[in-house]
Amino acid sequence: MHFYGTAAKNAQGHLTIGGVDATDLAEKFGTPLYVMDEALVRKNCRAYVQAFKDYYPDAEVAYASKAFLCTAMVALVEQEGLSLDLVSGGEIATALKAGYPMAHTYFHGNNKTVEEIHLALKSGVGRIIVDSVHELELLNLEAGELGITPKIYLRLNPNVSAHTHHYISTGQLDSKFGIPIEMGLAMDATRLALSLPNVALTGFHCHIGSQIFDVEGHRLAASVMIKFLADVKAATGFVTTELNLGGGLGVRYTAEDTPKRPGELIKVQTDSVRAACAEYGVPLPKLVVEPGRSIVGEAGTTLYSIGTVKEIPGIRTYISVDGGMGDNIRPALYQAEYECVVANKVDAPAEKVVTVAGRYCESGDKLIIDAKVADNVDTGDLLAIFTTGAYNYTMASHYNRYPKPAVVFVADGNADLVVRRETFDEMAAFDLIPQRLQPKVAR
Ligand SMILES: *Cc1c(COP(=O)(O)O)cnc(C)c1O
């Protein structure tokens, strides 16, 4: 079994994370429970920061909030000196609530509403990443009315396909994200941006996808972007000073996954930028990257209580847990794979092959197909699924009206609640019964 970060096992054969026994976490906070290994999050943040110190000091690391966000995460990111990448009004509001310095934020989104644009302008986000010509014109109008001139990047589509599942690949030409460099579309948008009075074009952005192991896509994207900066300089005289290369580094979910380390990615990207700047004759821009998954993915573990154990002789054994697609949609959404351990039986031989099923009313609600678990797995045991730190809590739903689980940060033997568990009352708290449904019919 693979232990991530501070995960280990103690003398009782229990899983520990951040020096805290998983069975104590389950008892104190209930299940399902998201557990975040704070030391590993910090280590991942520092790996990016250090890589830039080593290879390319004029740079900024912006954590991509959509991977995992709550106010404590904002505070942690701020402590580590990272900037923040935000994609919605709700994410902006969370950063504001945590008192984050908004000048260090990057605001994305392929279909920002007028309300979100207002919120971004009024809250002073550092850069607005404009995704389309429509948005460019809208932003220019709204900014003019507010008398604000936001610094903007244009998000470009470099037509580089990342080797990853097509649902999470964004850099190919046929994508809803970004303005294609092909067909002169990005150049047209650049000319327009330079001509508009109420936006200050400051740089360009691309993001080619997520859960990427082969960094050749990143190498190519960096050089395609620099070539574009050179074309812009030649065509308009505009010298670009900032370039945002997005996120996308993969993490380990199972033994088949062999992700590159942050330092390896940053080396490839910065080498590519330097080489292309020399080749095309443009000055080195300030670089920004936006890692999400590779900051929090491996740092998260979800704890579940095992309920029903159902053996269909000769077919399959299902162990059902008290969570599922409501707290982790990724297996149902794109066949994502995970590893697990029976957290109170870490020492037991683990040769029993089972399917870990959720409690939601969908046959597709299976968290792991053919997981190997402790031979003596039983009702009442605690199951830990690893690498659930990214795109789990942030994608959680209320399907079947199950409340969203709590989130705890663990570090140095301490466990602190950072998101409390929702209650049944809260599930119905937003519901209203209109007047015409009020008279009750006797029966
Ligand atoms: C999702 C996203 C990221 C983060 O991607 P990861 O794969 O989680 O590193 C970065 N930038 C943009 C624009 C994104 O949409």
Side-chain angles (χ1 to χ4, degrees), residues 65-302:
S65 304
K66 73 179 194 282
F68 171 79
L69 189 68
C70 60
T71 51
M73 184 64 195
V74 175
L76 200 168
V77 161
E78 190 181 350
Q79 271 191 354
E80 291 299 324
L82 267 57
S83 301
L84 264 188
D85 154 349
L86 306 165
V87 299
S88 70
E91 289 189 358
I92 292 177
T94 302
L96 286 170
K97 187 166 183 196
Y100 187 83
M102 298 304 284
H104 296 284
T105 61
Y106 295 79
F107 183 48
H108 293 270
N110 70 298
N111 188 25
K112 303 176 185 77
T113 63
V114 174
E115 290 77 14
E116 285 174 320
I117 286 173
H118 273 220
L119 180 60
L121 290 169
K122 286 182 180 157
S123 58
V125 306
R127 302 284 183 273
I128 297 179
I129 290 80
V130 174
D131 207 283
S132 65
V133 169
H134 160 78
E135 184 189 334
L136 187 56
E137 286 166 342
L138 179 64
L139 178 61
N140 181 61
L141 205 75
E142 300 299 326
E145 273 173 23
L146 291 178
I148 298 170
T149 308
K151 290 187 172 167
I152 66 161
Y153 293 170
L154 294 182
R155 176 167 179 167
L156 306 185
N157 178 326
N159 195 16
V160 170
S161 14
H163 292 156
T164 182
H165 192 289
H166 67 280
Y167 281 17
I168 45 180
S169 175
T170 55
Q172 76 284 3
L173 186 56
D174 183 0
S175 167
K176 73 170 181 171
F177 295 106
I179 306 163
I181 292 178
E182 311 267 314
M183 299 172 279
L185 296 173
M187 187 62 81
D188 290 347
T190 303
R191 286 185 200 278
L192 177 60
L194 290 170
S195 75
L196 294 174
N198 307 316
V199 295
L201 182 66
T202 313
F204 295 92
H205 171 275
C206 71
H207 169 72
I208 60 170
S210 199
Q211 185 58 2
I212 298 168
F213 296 132
D214 177 358
V215 293
E216 281 315 301
H218 280 105
R219 186 197 304 278
L220 185 58
S223 107
V224 168
M225 291 297 284
I226 297 290
K227 162 94 168 43
F228 180 74
L229 304 194
D231 291 347
V232 166
K233 186 175 159 222
T236 70
F238 177 73
V239 177
T240 306
T241 52
E242 298 178 24
L243 176 63
N244 184 325
L245 294 171
L249 188 61
V251 299
R252 184 192 187 282
Y253 288 96
T254 70
E256 277 94 73
D257 299 333
T258 51
K260 297 279 190 297
R261 303 324 305 165
E264 297 176 87
L265 170 66
I266 300 308
K267 174 104 174 52
V268 163
Q269 285 178 313
T270 55
D271 281 352
S272 180
V273 164
R274 269 183 223 289
C277 283
E279 181 179 350
Y280 300 117
V282 290
L284 292 173
K286 171 181 174 167
L287 289 182
V288 183
V289 292
E290 303 169 323
R293 190 188 309 269
S294 54
I295 298 286
V296 288
E298 294 178 3
T301 301
T302 309

